[in-house]
Amino acid sequence: MDIEELIGALDLPSKVRLLAGADMWSLPAMPEIGLRRLVMSDGPIGVRGEQWSTADPSIALPSPTALAATWDTGLVRRAGRLLAQEARRKGVHVLLAPTLNIQRSPLAGRHFECFSEDPLLTGEIGAAYVEGVQDGGVAATPKHFVANDFETERLTADVVVCDKALREVYLAPFERMVRAGAWGVMAAYNATNGTTMTEHAELLLGVLKGEWGFDGFVVSDWTATRSTEATALAGLDVAMPGPYGPWGDRLVEAVRSGRVPEHVVDDKVRRVLRLACRTGALGGPAPRPLPDPIDGTALAREVAARSFTLLRNEGGLLPLRGLRSVALIGAGAAQVRAMGGGSAEVFPDKVVSPLDGLRRRGEFDVRYAVGTDPRVRLEPLATPSRAVFLDKAGVVLAGLPLRTAEARWLGEPPSGVDLAGVAAVEIRTTFTPEAEGPHQFSISGAGAFTMSVDGHTVLDEVIVPPEGDPAAAFLAPPERRIVVELAAGAPVELTVRHATSALSGMVFIAFALGHAAPSPDDETLLAEAAGIAAGADVAIVVAGTTKETESEGFDRASLALPGRQDELIARVAAANPRTIVVLNAGSPVEMPWLDQVAAVLLAWFPGQEAGDALADVLFGDAEPGGRLPTTWPMRAQDVPVLDVTPVEGKIRYDEGVLVGYRAWEHAGSVPAFWFGHGLGYTTWSYDSVAATRTAGGVTDGATVTVAVTNTGDRAGREVVQVYLSPLVPGDAPASGGTAAREGTDGPSESTDVPSDVTDGPLVSTDGPSDRSAGGRPARWLAGFDVVTAEPGTTVLTTISLPERAFQVWDQGCWRTVPGDYTVEIGRSVADRRLAATLRVTV
Ligand code: BGC
């Protein structure tokens, strides 16, 4: 397929038409050149497809932070391949993922969607994800380029960040992605150093396409293209969604009047056609399902168990053995939060709750109590329902089954439904109450609604969405509630009608009928939970964040567990010393009860197989494989970099490269759990390390060989982490010191260092602030590997450290910093077991 010939065959309007969405999710087909529709879809934990609807289910993997918590690039590559398989099944060519922004502050609303606070770990996990997806012939689109690390005023905020931090922390994972061969990149909403990212010629054209040689396509975040010439000239290739927007006719006119050279348009078309070739949308037969299908359910379960991170395990309570009874407590135990909110949401065809997972084992008695429910909005009524489409006269034009009482179509109309002439959409359902008493019902959504119960109108209101982010109408929809007295066993007919006019063009239908059964007051629920805990062999509390606290479109206001969950945990722990807290959260939460509970298992947003994976880990069929990709604070006020609120439109990244554990160490503060921490079910000795400089290469700066032994009595998995720190503080070559000495990079010595096994504070002889002088952190992650070993077995691993680990961004270029480095091998950034010295000359 000669792309240049195809470009030559298209006139200007056709070329420009190819550069903007034909609709919400696709670029137009052009049969005259053999081009099919190029379909895009979110990402990152599944493939939602063109419909934002439960009618089009997808496998839901654990949240991206959980994926990173495995530290296992092989596993992530398999997850990527599964996503490609899902994409092919749904006719999707481009997956809008992975999210490569940095977990700079735990308040960030989309923290759960990012991999890590560390640029190297983000880059390595991201590269494996990209390789896995693209190996299946589907494009990955690392996003959001760049510095989109918070949500407040996300469409307009201007990030003020120095070049050094931009290069070493925020751009580094994207640069890694280009080396991994990514076929797409998404330009973010925000501005960086005064220029909005879709117009950022310096970063899009200069760095991404120029310096790094990126040959893929750059797509705007949805509606982030807000100008014609400036975006077209800056290196943006595709404006989504479409067809409305500032390109189209306006771009044709800009070319005709000479304001945008035609070769600029040709380059964009070239990139789109290259993408089409790569993903099978140009010429030849349409892509077929991938051979050797992966079992999505099994992989979702495996990834979840491997991501679960055991933070605390007093007296080796886990894995559980020989139980007769379990008290399972918490709203999340019955309705687990499988994923974070916003565009990252997909609709799996089932979610296994912890209650299902534990009951399925059938070996012991499980008693359940909710304890307290932290959710602010009611969940959609879980009865099968119907969506009914009516015209102005109330005539039914179409009807579709819904799995629950939730109607959602964003962008694309429901398949088989012609929306022309539709004046209202209804959710209809028959509900048979189990309990007698006051049932709460809600409408959540924005616009004109009426609700009726057995034909009587009980709510009639125009609900106005909050001002600000236009996506808020579905990301955080307003809710109206009513209470209806119902008799047990007597069915009622419920209808929510949503009057709508603009159903042509881009479809936006998003509303739900919520429900909560009659419930005792909180005091009674808390007492009941403590009561069942007291009478059981072990108490497991599933606690976590809610849709209102972790989602796209807004940041978190606090790190506290919402509602009365802290109190619930404290009361359960007081009733039963064998209390295990399972945290169902995408990002850090405060744990004021930490010392009172026996174990804390971080389950993240665990995806659709949550409950089975949890049972696997609690009972020791699988080891909790996770290690923290982010430092977990004890209290929000201890977090060195917390603020996510722009001031007069600007947010300053004044901490420079001191993000995450680097900032904690610099501040001399001690978190609850350090980056890299996580316990398994066996024990390890760290036996020896040897480090050798492999000078000068772009991808290889050193190799480190480590021997570790499984000293426990079961097979296990260990994440071996390599940290570098300059022996002489500061960035500059030390005057008269090691760097000035003659000689080649000498062999390393292996020394046993006293280990602060309990993950205590980092020990730094000359004080963290001095060691960070000259623009380098005291210590940084430089490499890692996952090893497995049978009991009593020693394994050797050789880990490559990239040259970049020894470099800083200095006055416009990368510079290797010579000198002596300490290479430390640890189980976390604070629990370092071995050290060697490595001399670097240039
Ligand atoms: C999000 C992107 C997403 C896009 C399409 C935007 O609001 O920031 O991550 O890919 O919507 O859903």
Side-chain angles (χ1 to χ4, degrees):
M1 188 74 49
D2 186 339
I3 289 181
E4 298 309 316
E5 239 172 61
L6 297 183
I7 297 173
L10 294 173
D11 60 12
L12 179 63
S14 306
K15 287 192 273 193
V16 167
R17 199 156 61 81
L18 203 50
L19 304 179
D23 49 38
M24 182 78 157
W25 302 116
S26 75
L27 294 180
M30 287 199 179
E32 62 274 30
I33 57 165
L35 178 68
R36 282 183 285 277
R37 276 177 83 228
L38 244 165
V39 178
M40 312 185 194
S41 169
D42 292 306
I45 60 150
V47 184
R48 199 173 48 235
E50 288 185 84
Q51 290 186 13
W52 202 307
S53 160
T54 52
D56 188 17
S58 155
I59 291 283
L61 292 170
S63 57
T65 314
L67 217 54
T70 68
W71 294 59
D72 188 333
T73 51
L75 185 64
V76 173
R77 217 169 268 120
R78 273 165 61 211
R81 173 86 183 183
L82 169 66
L83 294 170
Q85 177 180 307
E86 286 287 272
R88 293 278 201 113
R89 179 173 70 78
K90 292 187 167 204
V92 167
H93 304 91
V94 178
L95 185 65
L96 302 170
T99 303
L100 289 190
N101 300 114
I102 293 289
Q103 291 172 335
R104 174 177 173 269
S105 161
L107 289 178
R110 292 177 88 169
H111 195 283
F112 69 89
E113 215 185 302
C114 307
F115 290 128
S116 170
E117 66 187 16
D118 180 83
L120 180 101
L121 184 58
T122 302
E124 293 307 312
I125 297 293
Y129 183 107
V130 167
E131 284 161 6
V133 170
Q134 295 191 170
D135 180 49
V138 172
T141 319
K143 64 188 186 183
H144 312 82
F145 188 79
V146 62
N148 185 176
D149 313 296
F150 57 93
E151 293 297 281
T152 310
E153 298 175 26
R154 65 173 173 157
L155 305 184
T156 53
D158 179 20
V159 173
V160 181
V161 53
C162 68
D163 272 3
K164 181 174 164 60
L166 192 58
R167 290 288 187 153
E168 293 181 17
V169 179
Y170 299 97
L171 286 172
F174 287 97
E175 185 181 5
R176 176 72 184 82
M177 230 48 49
V178 174
R179 282 212 312 280
W183 295 341
V185 160
M186 184 188 288
Y189 288 124
N190 56 285
T192 302
N193 293 330
T195 307
T196 196
M197 281 312 305
T198 49
E199 296 179 2
H200 214 302
E202 192 187 330
L203 289 177
L204 294 177
L205 274 182
V207 175
L208 177 67
K209 291 183 174 175
E211 207 180 296
W212 298 347
F214 173 66
D215 72 355
F217 86 122
V218 178
V219 60
S220 71
D221 200 344
W222 265 229
T223 71
T225 316
R226 288 165 288 213
S227 62
T228 307
E229 282 146 65
T231 47
L233 292 171
L236 186 74
D237 299 312
V238 168
M240 286 301 285
Y244 320 102
W247 283 16
D249 292 347
R250 280 189 265 170
L251 183 51
V252 171
E253 157 53 24
V255 175
R256 290 205 169 127
S257 63
R259 284 174 287 134
V260 172
E262 188 154 352
H263 69 81
V264 168
V265 167
D266 287 351
D267 185 57
K268 300 179 196 308
V269 174
R270 184 174 298 120
R271 288 168 185 269
V272 169
L273 294 180
R274 193 179 289 142
L275 172 74
C277 274
R278 286 170 163 168
T279 57
L282 189 62
R288 279 196 291 273
L290 285 178
D292 307 324
I294 296 174
D295 177 343
T297 306
L299 187 57
R301 182 170 175 168
E302 181 184 348
V303 173
R306 292 274 294 278
S307 76
F308 289 175
T309 309
L310 185 56
L311 298 179
R312 176 179 168 89
N313 190 18
E314 289 303 287
L317 175 58
L318 291 176
L320 295 167
R321 297 155 272 242
L323 293 182
R324 278 162 304 131
S325 61
V326 173
L328 184 61
I329 294 160
Q335 282 182 313
V336 70
R337 195 159 179 232
M339 68 194 86
S343 60
E345 248 179 295
V346 299
F347 300 94
D349 63 4
K350 58 151 189 185
V351 172
V352 184
S353 72
L355 188 55
D356 299 335
L358 259 62
R359 286 213 164 126
R360 243 176 234 185
R361 290 188 77 92
E363 299 154 11
F364 41 78
D365 181 37
V366 181
R367 295 189 63 197
Y368 171 72
V370 65
T372 184
D373 191 339
R375 291 170 293 188
V376 174
R377 276 187 219 108
L378 301 184
E379 289 294 304
L381 184 65
T383 54
S385 309
R386 275 189 85 65
V388 177
F389 300 83
L390 307 126
D391 71 7
K392 250 198 245 154
V395 175
V396 173
L397 302 176
L400 284 177
L402 298 172
R403 274 198 317 121
T404 63
E406 182 173 20
R408 255 192 202 236
W409 289 277
L410 299 177
E412 286 304 291
S415 29
V417 178
D418 178 4
L419 290 179
V422 169
V425 184
E426 289 185 353
I427 296 174
R428 293 182 187 174
T429 190
T430 307
F431 171 60
T432 309
E434 279 177 19
E436 173 176 318
H439 285 251
Q440 293 192 67
F441 293 99
S442 70
I443 296 173
S444 70
F449 292 96
T450 53
M451 184 194 292
S452 64
V453 178
D454 280 340
H456 304 290
T457 302
V458 289
L459 238 172
D460 186 353
E461 191 175 334
V462 176
I463 304 176
V464 182
E467 279 185 12
D469 196 326
F474 75 94
L475 295 175
E479 184 191 63
R480 295 292 180 275
R481 288 194 194 187
I482 52 142
V483 174
V484 183
E485 285 290 335
L486 296 176
V492 283
E493 297 300 321
L494 300 170
T495 303
V496 171
R497 167 185 283 238
H498 176 38
T500 173
S501 45
L503 281 186
S504 59
M506 212 170 295
V507 178
F508 191 100
I509 302 171
F511 65 104
L513 162 59
H515 171 251
S519 160
D521 62 23
D522 256 17
E523 277 311 319
T524 314
L525 293 176
L526 287 163
E528 184 198 351
I532 67 160
D537 288 346
V538 70
I540 302 171
V541 185
V542 180
T545 56
T546 62
K547 274 186 191 150
E548 293 79 23
T549 43
E550 278 194 87
S551 188
E552 181 178 333
F554 50 88
D555 289 311
R556 295 164 75 189
S558 111
L559 298 186
L561 277 173
R564 296 178 71 178
Q565 296 182 96
D566 285 334
E567 192 183 338
L568 171 66
I569 295 168
R571 285 175 67 167
V572 169
N576 189 333
R578 286 160 56 90
T579 290
I580 300 159
V581 176
V582 174
L583 284 174
N584 179 198
S587 49
V589 295
E590 292 173 339
M591 297 168 286
W593 33 259
L594 184 60
D595 293 342
Q596 299 156 41
V597 303
V600 180
L601 180 68
L602 175 50
W604 310 103
F605 293 139
Q608 65 176 55
E609 302 301 319
D612 283 334
L614 184 63
D616 292 344
V617 167
L618 289 176
F619 295 95
D621 298 350
E623 199 183 20
R627 302 290 185 268
L628 287 177
T630 311
T631 306
W632 271 50
M634 199 62 205
R635 304 171 311 170
Q637 65 258 43
D638 302 336
V639 178
V641 180
L642 189 67
D643 192 33
V644 284
T645 310
V647 176
E648 292 176 0
K650 290 188 188 304
I651 185 154
R652 306 187 61 89
Y653 286 12
D654 284 341
E655 69 283 351
V657 299
L658 300 175
V659 176
Y661 61 88
R662 303 161 171 210
W664 283 89
E665 187 170 10
H666 183 71
S669 310
V670 182
F673 297 103
W674 283 102
F675 176 83
H677 172 73
L679 306 168
Y681 288 158
T682 185
T683 49
W684 296 86
S685 69
Y686 277 62
D687 306 331
S688 66
V689 56
T692 320
R693 174 84 167 133
T694 45
V698 176
T699 51
D700 249 2
T703 52
V704 179
T705 303
V706 183
V708 293
T709 304
N710 180 350
T711 52
D713 56 11
R714 58 173 283 162
R717 177 182 306 277
E718 178 74 339
V719 178
V720 177
Q721 304 163 34
V722 183
Y723 295 92
L724 271 189
S725 55
L727 209 60
V728 175
D731 183 3
S735 52
T738 46
R741 271 188 255 137
E742 286 293 311
T744 53
D745 301 321
S748 63
E749 334 144 9
S750 173
T751 9
D752 273 332
V753 288
S755 64
D756 36 344
V757 181
T758 50
D759 271 10
L762 290 182
V763 183
S764 168
T765 43
D766 39 8
S769 51
D770 288 341
R771 300 195 76 190
S772 299
R776 282 205 289 182
R779 171 175 301 102
W780 57 92
L781 181 74
F784 59 90
D785 192 21
V786 179
V787 298
T788 52
E790 293 299 318
T793 312
T794 300
V795 280
L796 268 189
T797 167
T798 297
I799 300 171
S800 300
L801 311 191
E803 181 67 10
R804 189 54 61 75
F806 299 93
Q807 292 183 322
V808 290
W809 182 257
D810 184 16
Q811 297 176 41
C813 57
W814 290 105
R815 181 170 67 80
T816 296
V817 183
D820 283 354
Y821 288 80
T822 307
V823 179
E824 288 173 296
I825 312 303
R827 309 196 71 214
S828 81
V829 68
D831 182 0
R832 303 182 304 277
R833 303 290 178 97
L834 295 169
T837 316
L838 187 71
R839 172 157 308 163
V840 170
T841 55
V842 286

